[in-house]
Structures are given as C-alpha cells and as structure tokens.
Amino acid sequence: MLRVLNGEPVWPLPIWIMRQAGRYLPEYRETRKQAGSFLDLCYNPRLAEEVTLQPIRRFGFDASILFSDILVIPHALGQDVRFVENEGPKLDPVTTEKDFSRLADELPLERLDPVFETLDRLSKSLPKETTLLGFCGAPWTVASYMIAGKGTPDQAPARLTAYRDPAFMDALIDKLVRASTAYLIRQIDAGAEAVQIFESFGSALPPALFDRLSLNPIRRMVEGLKQARPQAKVIVFVRGGGANLHRFASAGIGDGLALDWTLDPAVVLPTMPDTVATQGNLDPLALIAGGAALTDGVDHILGAVRGRPHIFNLGHGILPETPIEHVAQMIARVRGA
C-alpha cells in the first residue's frame, strides 16, 4: 500500500475498507460489550487494539486503520461528547464566544495518550506487511458536529454560522487545523505509517465556502504534517468532493485521493495525473447486495484503474448489515484479478 502512495502501480490492488473494524463483525460486537461506552472502547488501548486486529485476522486486509473516532479531538479540547445507542454522537453545541472560550487553546495531547498507546501496540502486533493507518476528521466536518451538537442531514447549523459569523467559524476552523495537525504528527510518532483525513461532509459546502472551509484547511494540515514528518503519507477523502478532487490533485494536497461511490473512475481517473494515487470506490450497498451487483462493481473499478496507483476500498464506510461472506467475495475478486 505504501508503494501505491509513492505513486507506483501495484497489481493485484492493495485493499482495505473504511470502518473495517465494526458492527458487521460478531467478534467486534462481543468486544464492544466489554468496553462500556463507545468512547470507553476508543480510550481502552487493549480493546481498541483487539478490534483493530479483528478484520486483519479474518480477512488479511493490506492496511489496518486505528479504531477511534473523529470526535476525540473536540472531546480532548474540552467539549462534552457522548455516544447515544442507536442515535449517534451528542455534543454540547459550541455556538457562542463563551462556548468557544471553554475550549483549550491548544490540543492537550496527553488526553489522547490512550489513542497513541493503541497505535504503539498495533505497530508491534500487526503483520509486517500490513500498513498501519491513523486518521482524523477534517476541520469542516468536525466543526459541523461541534456547532450542531449532533450529525445533521445537510450541516445547516454550521453553514449558517459560516455565513452569519465568519470570524467565529474561521477561529474554530483555525483551532481545529492546529489541533488536528498536532494529533496527526503524534500518530505518526506512535507508529502510524500513513493517515487519512475524513471530510465526510464535503458535499454540504457550496462553492462560495468550499475553499475557505475545506480545501485550504486540509492543505494547511497536510503541509504542517509533511513539514514536521516528511515521511508521512496522507490520503484525503472528501465525500461529495466531485470536481474539487482535481483541485486537490493539481495542488498536490495529499499522496492519495479517495473517491466516493458517486464518481465513475472510468470517467474521473483519465483526467487526473497518472502519478496521483487514488482509492475507492465500491458502493457499500453493492457490497450488501452481493451477487452480480458486487461482481460487476468490483470489475468496473478494476478495469478503470489498471496501470494506475490505486488502493481498492469502498466509497464510504461498510454498513453494519453487510454479510461477512460478501466481504470475502469482494477480497477474492480483487486479489484474483
């Protein structure tokens, strides 16, 4: 996988999948019961290591991604974060200067020591051929949760804030850029060989806000990480990024760009430089469906990326109801090509 991120075509394609440690696996569900809350699981190095290793043991993916959550950064900064069963994350909204002033000026890295311990453990327990990935959320995506206090369908609370109080939004984004960069640097020091930045809410941003709230903050993060740790490899995933992917590629933001499932690699990739590594982009619902839908989806991607540096993945995270046998079928198809 690291060869691909260096711009080298590799065949068969290396493969991993977003959320590969999670609720579709019975062994994950059993471990989750031991942890208490979801955040307790994220902050328990022994159990977080275990759930990170589970999909590697079962499927032999070429990369293993740290089990954690993008909201550990606002949690470490001092915002109340909790996960409600069957509802998702709940946060005390940050919408005023008073709320903002309660946040730490700089990320208290010691509050995230359990995460770094998990990475250290994984760097020793993973097979040598398995790439260890760290990650964090992009500032816009994390800010959207912090302002709304929860996930929202179109990130309207954060978008309104960006229009009505640009100074407040810029200050929050700036704080998250600095915190996220420090967090990624520490992940590399703890053993991560590459990191992925998740801009899960990129599709919500109109052109008038995209550069200010997504592209430029991610650029600053990547530049800051590369300046501090030149060997670090970075994958940028902008869900709903569409035409903006070309702008990330031309600006050299990241070593790899992940495609969501709405993009046709046969159309998009010929317009991008051959040296830019890409990742993706099977529809998670095709993986649930299995059969011809899965086979055709895999084969279309394989046909479009042959000869290019590409990492096979989904176009978003694997869904809890995904049959395990379909994951095995997908891997066999990719590796048998």
Side-chain angles (χ1 to χ4, degrees), residues 202 205-219 223 236 238 240-254 256-257 259 263 268 271-273 276:
L205 284 169
L209 296 176
F210 190 86
D211 282 17
R212 179 180 137 219
L213 299 182
S214 183
L215 189 146
N216 289 333
I218 293 174
R219 184 207 305 270
E223 288 175 350
V236 176
V238 183
N244 288 301
L245 289 178
H246 295 85
R247 301 175 60 220
F248 278 90
S250 62
I253 303 174
L257 294 174
L259 316 178
L263 297 174
V268 173
T271 68
M272 296 180 70
V276 174

PDB file of all heavy atoms in Angstrom, residues 202 205-219 223 236 238 240-254 256-257 259 263 268 271-273 276:
ATOM      1  N   GLY A 202     -18.178  16.993   2.952  1.00  0.00           N
ATOM      2  CA  GLY A 202     -17.758  17.875   1.876  1.00  0.00           C
ATOM      3  C   GLY A 202     -18.872  18.253   0.925  1.00  0.00           C
ATOM      4  O   GLY A 202     -18.890  19.357   0.366  1.00  0.00           O
ATOM      5  N   LEU A 205     -20.945  21.672   1.272  1.00  0.00           N
ATOM      6  CA  LEU A 205     -20.362  23.006   1.082  1.00  0.00           C
ATOM      7  C   LEU A 205     -20.598  23.533  -0.331  1.00  0.00           C
ATOM      8  O   LEU A 205     -20.235  22.883  -1.311  1.00  0.00           O
ATOM      9  CB  LEU A 205     -18.854  22.956   1.353  1.00  0.00           C
ATOM     10  CG  LEU A 205     -18.461  22.886   2.827  1.00  0.00           C
ATOM     11  CD1 LEU A 205     -16.982  22.558   2.965  1.00  0.00           C
ATOM     12  CD2 LEU A 205     -18.782  24.199   3.535  1.00  0.00           C
ATOM     13  N   PRO A 206     -21.160  24.743  -0.462  1.00  0.00           N
ATOM     14  CA  PRO A 206     -21.294  25.375  -1.776  1.00  0.00           C
ATOM     15  C   PRO A 206     -19.944  25.929  -2.216  1.00  0.00           C
ATOM     16  O   PRO A 206     -19.025  26.083  -1.399  1.00  0.00           O
ATOM     17  CB  PRO A 206     -22.293  26.505  -1.504  1.00  0.00           C
ATOM     18  CG  PRO A 206     -22.043  26.869  -0.083  1.00  0.00           C
ATOM     19  CD  PRO A 206     -21.698  25.581   0.628  1.00  0.00           C
ATOM     20  N   PRO A 207     -19.792  26.249  -3.497  1.00  0.00           N
ATOM     21  CA  PRO A 207     -18.516  26.798  -3.972  1.00  0.00           C
ATOM     22  C   PRO A 207     -18.042  28.013  -3.191  1.00  0.00           C
ATOM     23  O   PRO A 207     -16.834  28.194  -2.989  1.00  0.00           O
ATOM     24  CB  PRO A 207     -18.821  27.140  -5.437  1.00  0.00           C
ATOM     25  CG  PRO A 207     -19.905  26.199  -5.834  1.00  0.00           C
ATOM     26  CD  PRO A 207     -20.749  26.034  -4.600  1.00  0.00           C
ATOM     27  N   ALA A 208     -18.970  28.845  -2.726  1.00  0.00           N
ATOM     28  CA  ALA A 208     -18.571  30.057  -2.014  1.00  0.00           C
ATOM     29  C   ALA A 208     -17.857  29.772  -0.697  1.00  0.00           C
ATOM     30  O   ALA A 208     -17.138  30.630  -0.177  1.00  0.00           O
ATOM     31  CB  ALA A 208     -19.806  30.923  -1.744  1.00  0.00           C
ATOM     32  N   LEU A 209     -18.056  28.578  -0.152  1.00  0.00           N
ATOM     33  CA  LEU A 209     -17.464  28.235   1.138  1.00  0.00           C
ATOM     34  C   LEU A 209     -16.409  27.147   1.052  1.00  0.00           C
ATOM     35  O   LEU A 209     -15.675  26.917   2.026  1.00  0.00           O
ATOM     36  CB  LEU A 209     -18.555  27.783   2.118  1.00  0.00           C
ATOM     37  CG  LEU A 209     -19.613  28.808   2.524  1.00  0.00           C
ATOM     38  CD1 LEU A 209     -20.663  28.158   3.424  1.00  0.00           C
ATOM     39  CD2 LEU A 209     -18.974  29.997   3.230  1.00  0.00           C
ATOM     40  N   PHE A 210     -16.316  26.455  -0.081  1.00  0.00           N
ATOM     41  CA  PHE A 210     -15.507  25.236  -0.127  1.00  0.00           C
ATOM     42  C   PHE A 210     -14.023  25.505   0.141  1.00  0.00           C
ATOM     43  O   PHE A 210     -13.400  24.831   0.967  1.00  0.00           O
ATOM     44  CB  PHE A 210     -15.670  24.512  -1.472  1.00  0.00           C
ATOM     45  CG  PHE A 210     -15.047  23.143  -1.461  1.00  0.00           C
ATOM     46  CD1 PHE A 210     -15.758  22.047  -1.003  1.00  0.00           C
ATOM     47  CD2 PHE A 210     -13.737  22.954  -1.885  1.00  0.00           C
ATOM     48  CE1 PHE A 210     -15.180  20.790  -0.961  1.00  0.00           C
ATOM     49  CE2 PHE A 210     -13.158  21.706  -1.851  1.00  0.00           C
ATOM     50  CZ  PHE A 210     -13.880  20.619  -1.391  1.00  0.00           C
ATOM     51  N   ASP A 211     -13.452  26.467  -0.548  1.00  0.00           N
ATOM     52  CA  ASP A 211     -12.020  26.718  -0.364  1.00  0.00           C
ATOM     53  C   ASP A 211     -11.723  27.142   1.073  1.00  0.00           C
ATOM     54  O   ASP A 211     -10.764  26.648   1.699  1.00  0.00           O
ATOM     55  CB  ASP A 211     -11.539  27.805  -1.321  1.00  0.00           C
ATOM     56  CG  ASP A 211     -11.344  27.284  -2.735  1.00  0.00           C
ATOM     57  OD1 ASP A 211     -11.864  26.198  -3.051  1.00  0.00           O
ATOM     58  OD2 ASP A 211     -10.677  27.975  -3.525  1.00  0.00           O
ATOM     59  N   ARG A 212     -12.530  28.046   1.580  1.00  0.00           N
ATOM     60  CA  ARG A 212     -12.283  28.606   2.904  1.00  0.00           C
ATOM     61  C   ARG A 212     -12.412  27.564   4.008  1.00  0.00           C
ATOM     62  O   ARG A 212     -11.615  27.559   4.963  1.00  0.00           O
ATOM     63  CB  ARG A 212     -13.263  29.757   3.128  1.00  0.00           C
ATOM     64  CG  ARG A 212     -13.144  30.438   4.483  1.00  0.00           C
ATOM     65  CD  ARG A 212     -14.159  31.574   4.600  1.00  0.00           C
ATOM     66  NE  ARG A 212     -14.790  31.587   5.895  1.00  0.00           N
ATOM     67  CZ  ARG A 212     -16.056  31.857   6.116  1.00  0.00           C
ATOM     68  NH1 ARG A 212     -16.865  32.119   5.107  1.00  0.00           N
ATOM     69  NH2 ARG A 212     -16.547  31.865   7.337  1.00  0.00           N
ATOM     70  N   LEU A 213     -13.388  26.671   3.879  1.00  0.00           N
ATOM     71  CA  LEU A 213     -13.690  25.766   4.983  1.00  0.00           C
ATOM     72  C   LEU A 213     -13.190  24.345   4.779  1.00  0.00           C
ATOM     73  O   LEU A 213     -13.123  23.586   5.741  1.00  0.00           O
ATOM     74  CB  LEU A 213     -15.205  25.745   5.231  1.00  0.00           C
ATOM     75  CG  LEU A 213     -15.833  27.083   5.622  1.00  0.00           C
ATOM     76  CD1 LEU A 213     -17.315  26.912   5.892  1.00  0.00           C
ATOM     77  CD2 LEU A 213     -15.133  27.674   6.850  1.00  0.00           C
ATOM     78  N   SER A 214     -12.846  23.966   3.551  1.00  0.00           N
ATOM     79  CA  SER A 214     -12.398  22.598   3.317  1.00  0.00           C
ATOM     80  C   SER A 214     -11.020  22.539   2.680  1.00  0.00           C
ATOM     81  O   SER A 214     -10.065  22.056   3.286  1.00  0.00           O
ATOM     82  CB  SER A 214     -13.408  21.846   2.438  1.00  0.00           C
ATOM     83  OG  SER A 214     -13.009  20.500   2.258  1.00  0.00           O
ATOM     84  N   LEU A 215     -10.887  23.016   1.454  1.00  0.00           N
ATOM     85  CA  LEU A 215      -9.636  22.828   0.730  1.00  0.00           C
ATOM     86  C   LEU A 215      -8.447  23.479   1.449  1.00  0.00           C
ATOM     87  O   LEU A 215      -7.417  22.829   1.672  1.00  0.00           O
ATOM     88  CB  LEU A 215      -9.768  23.376  -0.699  1.00  0.00           C
ATOM     89  CG  LEU A 215      -8.601  23.054  -1.643  1.00  0.00           C
ATOM     90  CD1 LEU A 215      -9.102  22.844  -3.072  1.00  0.00           C
ATOM     91  CD2 LEU A 215      -7.561  24.175  -1.637  1.00  0.00           C
ATOM     92  N   ASN A 216      -8.576  24.741   1.812  1.00  0.00           N
ATOM     93  CA  ASN A 216      -7.440  25.422   2.442  1.00  0.00           C
ATOM     94  C   ASN A 216      -7.101  24.880   3.829  1.00  0.00           C
ATOM     95  O   ASN A 216      -5.913  24.718   4.154  1.00  0.00           O
ATOM     96  CB  ASN A 216      -7.687  26.927   2.483  1.00  0.00           C
ATOM     97  CG  ASN A 216      -7.604  27.554   1.100  1.00  0.00           C
ATOM     98  OD1 ASN A 216      -6.910  27.048   0.223  1.00  0.00           O
ATOM     99  ND2 ASN A 216      -8.314  28.654   0.895  1.00  0.00           N
ATOM    100  N   PRO A 217      -8.086  24.571   4.694  1.00  0.00           N
ATOM    101  CA  PRO A 217      -7.728  23.956   5.975  1.00  0.00           C
ATOM    102  C   PRO A 217      -7.041  22.601   5.810  1.00  0.00           C
ATOM    103  O   PRO A 217      -6.078  22.306   6.532  1.00  0.00           O
ATOM    104  CB  PRO A 217      -9.087  23.815   6.682  1.00  0.00           C
ATOM    105  CG  PRO A 217      -9.911  24.920   6.113  1.00  0.00           C
ATOM    106  CD  PRO A 217      -9.507  24.999   4.675  1.00  0.00           C
ATOM    107  N   ILE A 218      -7.522  21.779   4.884  1.00  0.00           N
ATOM    108  CA  ILE A 218      -6.864  20.482   4.663  1.00  0.00           C
ATOM    109  C   ILE A 218      -5.460  20.694   4.119  1.00  0.00           C
ATOM    110  O   ILE A 218      -4.503  20.007   4.517  1.00  0.00           O
ATOM    111  CB  ILE A 218      -7.704  19.600   3.726  1.00  0.00           C
ATOM    112  CG1 ILE A 218      -9.017  19.198   4.415  1.00  0.00           C
ATOM    113  CG2 ILE A 218      -6.928  18.347   3.306  1.00  0.00           C
ATOM    114  CD1 ILE A 218      -9.992  18.453   3.522  1.00  0.00           C
ATOM    115  N   ARG A 219      -5.298  21.665   3.218  1.00  0.00           N
ATOM    116  CA  ARG A 219      -3.959  21.977   2.702  1.00  0.00           C
ATOM    117  C   ARG A 219      -3.001  22.330   3.846  1.00  0.00           C
ATOM    118  O   ARG A 219      -1.868  21.849   3.900  1.00  0.00           O
ATOM    119  CB  ARG A 219      -4.044  23.142   1.720  1.00  0.00           C
ATOM    120  CG  ARG A 219      -2.694  23.477   1.067  1.00  0.00           C
ATOM    121  CD  ARG A 219      -2.625  24.952   0.660  1.00  0.00           C
ATOM    122  NE  ARG A 219      -3.722  25.339  -0.197  1.00  0.00           N
ATOM    123  CZ  ARG A 219      -3.697  25.275  -1.532  1.00  0.00           C
ATOM    124  NH1 ARG A 219      -2.621  24.819  -2.136  1.00  0.00           N
ATOM    125  NH2 ARG A 219      -4.748  25.677  -2.230  1.00  0.00           N
ATOM    126  N   GLU A 223       0.344  20.237   4.816  1.00  0.00           N
ATOM    127  CA  GLU A 223       1.635  20.932   4.791  1.00  0.00           C
ATOM    128  C   GLU A 223       2.303  20.903   6.167  1.00  0.00           C
ATOM    129  O   GLU A 223       3.518  20.689   6.278  1.00  0.00           O
ATOM    130  CB  GLU A 223       1.444  22.369   4.318  1.00  0.00           C
ATOM    131  CG  GLU A 223       1.124  22.478   2.829  1.00  0.00           C
ATOM    132  CD  GLU A 223       0.828  23.909   2.395  1.00  0.00           C
ATOM    133  OE1 GLU A 223       0.678  24.788   3.292  1.00  0.00           O
ATOM    134  OE2 GLU A 223       0.741  24.150   1.176  1.00  0.00           O
ATOM    135  N   VAL A 236      -6.507  11.812   1.401  1.00  0.00           N
ATOM    136  CA  VAL A 236      -7.574  12.785   1.643  1.00  0.00           C
ATOM    137  C   VAL A 236      -8.866  12.232   1.063  1.00  0.00           C
ATOM    138  O   VAL A 236      -8.921  11.868  -0.114  1.00  0.00           O
ATOM    139  CB  VAL A 236      -7.240  14.152   1.006  1.00  0.00           C
ATOM    140  CG1 VAL A 236      -8.403  15.124   1.188  1.00  0.00           C
ATOM    141  CG2 VAL A 236      -5.964  14.728   1.610  1.00  0.00           C
ATOM    142  N   VAL A 238     -12.659  13.346   0.495  1.00  0.00           N
ATOM    143  CA  VAL A 238     -13.691  14.389   0.512  1.00  0.00           C
ATOM    144  C   VAL A 238     -14.959  13.773  -0.080  1.00  0.00           C
ATOM    145  O   VAL A 238     -15.106  13.674  -1.295  1.00  0.00           O
ATOM    146  CB  VAL A 238     -13.264  15.630  -0.293  1.00  0.00           C
ATOM    147  CG1 VAL A 238     -14.344  16.708  -0.192  1.00  0.00           C
ATOM    148  CG2 VAL A 238     -11.932  16.172   0.214  1.00  0.00           C
ATOM    149  N   GLY A 240     -18.336  13.627  -1.580  1.00  0.00           N
ATOM    150  CA  GLY A 240     -19.071  14.637  -2.318  1.00  0.00           C
ATOM    151  C   GLY A 240     -18.175  15.722  -2.890  1.00  0.00           C
ATOM    152  O   GLY A 240     -18.652  16.784  -3.275  1.00  0.00           O
ATOM    153  N   GLY A 241     -16.865  15.446  -2.959  1.00  0.00           N
ATOM    154  CA  GLY A 241     -15.929  16.455  -3.446  1.00  0.00           C
ATOM    155  C   GLY A 241     -16.049  16.737  -4.925  1.00  0.00           C
ATOM    156  O   GLY A 241     -15.750  17.835  -5.387  1.00  0.00           O
ATOM    157  N   GLY A 242     -16.478  15.729  -5.700  1.00  0.00           N
ATOM    158  CA  GLY A 242     -16.720  15.909  -7.122  1.00  0.00           C
ATOM    159  C   GLY A 242     -15.569  16.562  -7.856  1.00  0.00           C
ATOM    160  O   GLY A 242     -14.424  16.126  -7.779  1.00  0.00           O
ATOM    161  N   ALA A 243     -15.868  17.639  -8.561  1.00  0.00           N
ATOM    162  CA  ALA A 243     -14.870  18.327  -9.380  1.00  0.00           C
ATOM    163  C   ALA A 243     -13.724  18.885  -8.548  1.00  0.00           C
ATOM    164  O   ALA A 243     -12.632  19.133  -9.077  1.00  0.00           O
ATOM    165  CB  ALA A 243     -15.533  19.450 -10.174  1.00  0.00           C
ATOM    166  N   ASN A 244     -13.938  19.086  -7.250  1.00  0.00           N
ATOM    167  CA  ASN A 244     -12.871  19.628  -6.418  1.00  0.00           C
ATOM    168  C   ASN A 244     -11.697  18.666  -6.265  1.00  0.00           C
ATOM    169  O   ASN A 244     -10.602  19.095  -5.888  1.00  0.00           O
ATOM    170  CB  ASN A 244     -13.417  20.001  -5.035  1.00  0.00           C
ATOM    171  CG  ASN A 244     -14.301  21.234  -5.081  1.00  0.00           C
ATOM    172  OD1 ASN A 244     -13.872  22.298  -5.497  1.00  0.00           O
ATOM    173  ND2 ASN A 244     -15.555  21.085  -4.672  1.00  0.00           N
ATOM    174  N   LEU A 245     -11.908  17.370  -6.552  1.00  0.00           N
ATOM    175  CA  LEU A 245     -10.811  16.417  -6.453  1.00  0.00           C
ATOM    176  C   LEU A 245      -9.658  16.812  -7.369  1.00  0.00           C
ATOM    177  O   LEU A 245      -8.488  16.649  -7.027  1.00  0.00           O
ATOM    178  CB  LEU A 245     -11.295  15.005  -6.792  1.00  0.00           C
ATOM    179  CG  LEU A 245     -12.207  14.341  -5.758  1.00  0.00           C
ATOM    180  CD1 LEU A 245     -12.649  12.978  -6.263  1.00  0.00           C
ATOM    181  CD2 LEU A 245     -11.485  14.198  -4.424  1.00  0.00           C
ATOM    182  N   HIS A 246      -9.986  17.318  -8.550  1.00  0.00           N
ATOM    183  CA  HIS A 246      -8.934  17.738  -9.473  1.00  0.00           C
ATOM    184  C   HIS A 246      -8.117  18.882  -8.875  1.00  0.00           C
ATOM    185  O   HIS A 246      -6.913  18.983  -9.109  1.00  0.00           O
ATOM    186  CB  HIS A 246      -9.546  18.184 -10.808  1.00  0.00           C
ATOM    187  CG  HIS A 246     -10.227  17.074 -11.541  1.00  0.00           C
ATOM    188  ND1 HIS A 246     -11.531  16.713 -11.287  1.00  0.00           N
ATOM    189  CD2 HIS A 246      -9.768  16.240 -12.506  1.00  0.00           C
ATOM    190  CE1 HIS A 246     -11.854  15.701 -12.079  1.00  0.00           C
ATOM    191  NE2 HIS A 246     -10.812  15.396 -12.823  1.00  0.00           N
ATOM    192  N   ARG A 247      -8.763  19.722  -8.103  1.00  0.00           N
ATOM    193  CA  ARG A 247      -8.064  20.840  -7.492  1.00  0.00           C
ATOM    194  C   ARG A 247      -7.136  20.357  -6.383  1.00  0.00           C
ATOM    195  O   ARG A 247      -6.034  20.882  -6.214  1.00  0.00           O
ATOM    196  CB  ARG A 247      -9.070  21.866  -6.979  1.00  0.00           C
ATOM    197  CG  ARG A 247      -9.971  22.385  -8.120  1.00  0.00           C
ATOM    198  CD  ARG A 247     -11.050  23.320  -7.618  1.00  0.00           C
ATOM    199  NE  ARG A 247     -10.457  24.465  -6.969  1.00  0.00           N
ATOM    200  CZ  ARG A 247     -10.924  25.026  -5.865  1.00  0.00           C
ATOM    201  NH1 ARG A 247     -11.991  24.526  -5.275  1.00  0.00           N
ATOM    202  NH2 ARG A 247     -10.343  26.073  -5.350  1.00  0.00           N
ATOM    203  N   PHE A 248      -7.558  19.360  -5.624  1.00  0.00           N
ATOM    204  CA  PHE A 248      -6.671  18.761  -4.628  1.00  0.00           C
ATOM    205  C   PHE A 248      -5.468  18.125  -5.326  1.00  0.00           C
ATOM    206  O   PHE A 248      -4.328  18.261  -4.873  1.00  0.00           O
ATOM    207  CB  PHE A 248      -7.422  17.702  -3.809  1.00  0.00           C
ATOM    208  CG  PHE A 248      -8.240  18.257  -2.684  1.00  0.00           C
ATOM    209  CD1 PHE A 248      -9.563  18.619  -2.879  1.00  0.00           C
ATOM    210  CD2 PHE A 248      -7.702  18.431  -1.418  1.00  0.00           C
ATOM    211  CE1 PHE A 248     -10.336  19.126  -1.847  1.00  0.00           C
ATOM    212  CE2 PHE A 248      -8.453  18.938  -0.372  1.00  0.00           C
ATOM    213  CZ  PHE A 248      -9.782  19.288  -0.584  1.00  0.00           C
ATOM    214  N   ALA A 249      -5.734  17.415  -6.437  1.00  0.00           N
ATOM    215  CA  ALA A 249      -4.658  16.746  -7.159  1.00  0.00           C
ATOM    216  C   ALA A 249      -3.668  17.746  -7.739  1.00  0.00           C
ATOM    217  O   ALA A 249      -2.445  17.598  -7.593  1.00  0.00           O
ATOM    218  CB  ALA A 249      -5.243  15.872  -8.269  1.00  0.00           C
ATOM    219  N   SER A 250      -4.167  18.781  -8.388  1.00  0.00           N
ATOM    220  CA  SER A 250      -3.283  19.751  -9.034  1.00  0.00           C
ATOM    221  C   SER A 250      -2.498  20.560  -8.013  1.00  0.00           C
ATOM    222  O   SER A 250      -1.377  21.007  -8.291  1.00  0.00           O
ATOM    223  CB  SER A 250      -4.088  20.692  -9.941  1.00  0.00           C
ATOM    224  OG  SER A 250      -5.030  21.437  -9.185  1.00  0.00           O
ATOM    225  N   ALA A 251      -3.061  20.723  -6.813  1.00  0.00           N
ATOM    226  CA  ALA A 251      -2.365  21.453  -5.757  1.00  0.00           C
ATOM    227  C   ALA A 251      -1.429  20.557  -4.950  1.00  0.00           C
ATOM    228  O   ALA A 251      -0.723  21.043  -4.061  1.00  0.00           O
ATOM    229  CB  ALA A 251      -3.380  22.119  -4.828  1.00  0.00           C
ATOM    230  N   GLY A 252      -1.444  19.259  -5.246  1.00  0.00           N
ATOM    231  CA  GLY A 252      -0.569  18.332  -4.533  1.00  0.00           C
ATOM    232  C   GLY A 252      -0.933  18.159  -3.078  1.00  0.00           C
ATOM    233  O   GLY A 252      -0.066  17.941  -2.225  1.00  0.00           O
ATOM    234  N   ILE A 253      -2.234  18.238  -2.769  1.00  0.00           N
ATOM    235  CA  ILE A 253      -2.691  18.105  -1.384  1.00  0.00           C
ATOM    236  C   ILE A 253      -2.935  16.627  -1.086  1.00  0.00           C
ATOM    237  O   ILE A 253      -3.968  16.066  -1.426  1.00  0.00           O
ATOM    238  CB  ILE A 253      -3.965  18.932  -1.134  1.00  0.00           C
ATOM    239  CG1 ILE A 253      -3.726  20.396  -1.485  1.00  0.00           C
ATOM    240  CG2 ILE A 253      -4.421  18.797   0.318  1.00  0.00           C
ATOM    241  CD1 ILE A 253      -4.966  21.259  -1.417  1.00  0.00           C
ATOM    242  N   GLY A 254      -1.953  15.979  -0.471  1.00  0.00           N
ATOM    243  CA  GLY A 254      -2.077  14.570  -0.129  1.00  0.00           C
ATOM    244  C   GLY A 254      -1.353  13.684  -1.129  1.00  0.00           C
ATOM    245  O   GLY A 254      -1.119  14.052  -2.278  1.00  0.00           O
ATOM    246  N   GLY A 256      -2.618  10.566  -1.698  1.00  0.00           N
ATOM    247  CA  GLY A 256      -3.693   9.800  -2.304  1.00  0.00           C
ATOM    248  C   GLY A 256      -5.018  10.505  -2.114  1.00  0.00           C
ATOM    249  O   GLY A 256      -5.222  11.203  -1.106  1.00  0.00           O
ATOM    250  N   LEU A 257      -5.905  10.341  -3.092  1.00  0.00           N
ATOM    251  CA  LEU A 257      -7.241  10.921  -3.011  1.00  0.00           C
ATOM    252  C   LEU A 257      -8.258   9.797  -3.076  1.00  0.00           C
ATOM    253  O   LEU A 257      -8.233   8.967  -4.000  1.00  0.00           O
ATOM    254  CB  LEU A 257      -7.471  11.900  -4.165  1.00  0.00           C
ATOM    255  CG  LEU A 257      -6.619  13.166  -4.160  1.00  0.00           C
ATOM    256  CD1 LEU A 257      -6.857  13.967  -5.443  1.00  0.00           C
ATOM    257  CD2 LEU A 257      -6.927  14.029  -2.936  1.00  0.00           C
ATOM    258  N   LEU A 259     -12.055   8.333  -3.556  1.00  0.00           N
ATOM    259  CA  LEU A 259     -13.254   8.653  -4.324  1.00  0.00           C
ATOM    260  C   LEU A 259     -14.469   8.073  -3.629  1.00  0.00           C
ATOM    261  O   LEU A 259     -14.450   6.921  -3.194  1.00  0.00           O
ATOM    262  CB  LEU A 259     -13.166   8.068  -5.737  1.00  0.00           C
ATOM    263  CG  LEU A 259     -11.841   8.226  -6.503  1.00  0.00           C
ATOM    264  CD1 LEU A 259     -11.947   7.533  -7.863  1.00  0.00           C
ATOM    265  CD2 LEU A 259     -11.474   9.679  -6.666  1.00  0.00           C
ATOM    266  N   LEU A 263     -18.761   8.678  -7.923  1.00  0.00           N
ATOM    267  CA  LEU A 263     -17.869   9.001  -9.033  1.00  0.00           C
ATOM    268  C   LEU A 263     -17.557   7.754  -9.849  1.00  0.00           C
ATOM    269  O   LEU A 263     -17.336   6.675  -9.298  1.00  0.00           O
ATOM    270  CB  LEU A 263     -16.567   9.610  -8.503  1.00  0.00           C
ATOM    271  CG  LEU A 263     -16.716  10.935  -7.752  1.00  0.00           C
ATOM    272  CD1 LEU A 263     -15.384  11.354  -7.153  1.00  0.00           C
ATOM    273  CD2 LEU A 263     -17.254  12.024  -8.672  1.00  0.00           C
ATOM    274  N   VAL A 268     -13.408   9.743 -14.232  1.00  0.00           N
ATOM    275  CA  VAL A 268     -12.619  10.685 -13.444  1.00  0.00           C
ATOM    276  C   VAL A 268     -11.117  10.460 -13.604  1.00  0.00           C
ATOM    277  O   VAL A 268     -10.343  11.416 -13.799  1.00  0.00           O
ATOM    278  CB  VAL A 268     -13.007  10.586 -11.958  1.00  0.00           C
ATOM    279  CG1 VAL A 268     -12.085  11.437 -11.096  1.00  0.00           C
ATOM    280  CG2 VAL A 268     -14.455  11.004 -11.760  1.00  0.00           C
ATOM    281  N   THR A 271      -8.631  11.924 -16.333  1.00  0.00           N
ATOM    282  CA  THR A 271      -8.396  13.368 -16.301  1.00  0.00           C
ATOM    283  C   THR A 271      -7.420  13.772 -15.207  1.00  0.00           C
ATOM    284  O   THR A 271      -7.106  14.953 -15.070  1.00  0.00           O
ATOM    285  CB  THR A 271      -9.724  14.118 -16.083  1.00  0.00           C
ATOM    286  OG1 THR A 271     -10.213  13.844 -14.756  1.00  0.00           O
ATOM    287  CG2 THR A 271     -10.774  13.694 -17.102  1.00  0.00           C
ATOM    288  N   MET A 272      -6.945  12.796 -14.417  1.00  0.00           N
ATOM    289  CA  MET A 272      -6.045  13.098 -13.304  1.00  0.00           C
ATOM    290  C   MET A 272      -4.638  12.629 -13.642  1.00  0.00           C
ATOM    291  O   MET A 272      -4.446  11.707 -14.438  1.00  0.00           O
ATOM    292  CB  MET A 272      -6.546  12.426 -12.023  1.00  0.00           C
ATOM    293  CG  MET A 272      -7.902  12.953 -11.571  1.00  0.00           C
ATOM    294  SD  MET A 272      -8.496  12.175 -10.059  1.00  0.00           S
ATOM    295  CE  MET A 272      -7.362  12.845  -8.870  1.00  0.00           C
ATOM    296  N   PRO A 273      -3.611  13.248 -13.062  1.00  0.00           N
ATOM    297  CA  PRO A 273      -2.230  12.816 -13.311  1.00  0.00           C
ATOM    298  C   PRO A 273      -2.026  11.350 -12.951  1.00  0.00           C
ATOM    299  O   PRO A 273      -2.546  10.875 -11.936  1.00  0.00           O
ATOM    300  CB  PRO A 273      -1.409  13.739 -12.396  1.00  0.00           C
ATOM    301  CG  PRO A 273      -2.289  14.909 -12.115  1.00  0.00           C
ATOM    302  CD  PRO A 273      -3.690  14.390 -12.136  1.00  0.00           C
ATOM    303  N   VAL A 276      -0.798  10.471  -9.361  1.00  0.00           N
ATOM    304  CA  VAL A 276      -1.619  10.697  -8.163  1.00  0.00           C
ATOM    305  C   VAL A 276      -2.300   9.391  -7.766  1.00  0.00           C
ATOM    306  O   VAL A 276      -3.081   8.822  -8.539  1.00  0.00           O
ATOM    307  CB  VAL A 276      -2.675  11.785  -8.417  1.00  0.00           C
ATOM    308  CG1 VAL A 276      -3.608  11.914  -7.219  1.00  0.00           C
ATOM    309  CG2 VAL A 276      -2.005  13.126  -8.689  1.00  0.00           C
TER     310      VAL A 276
END
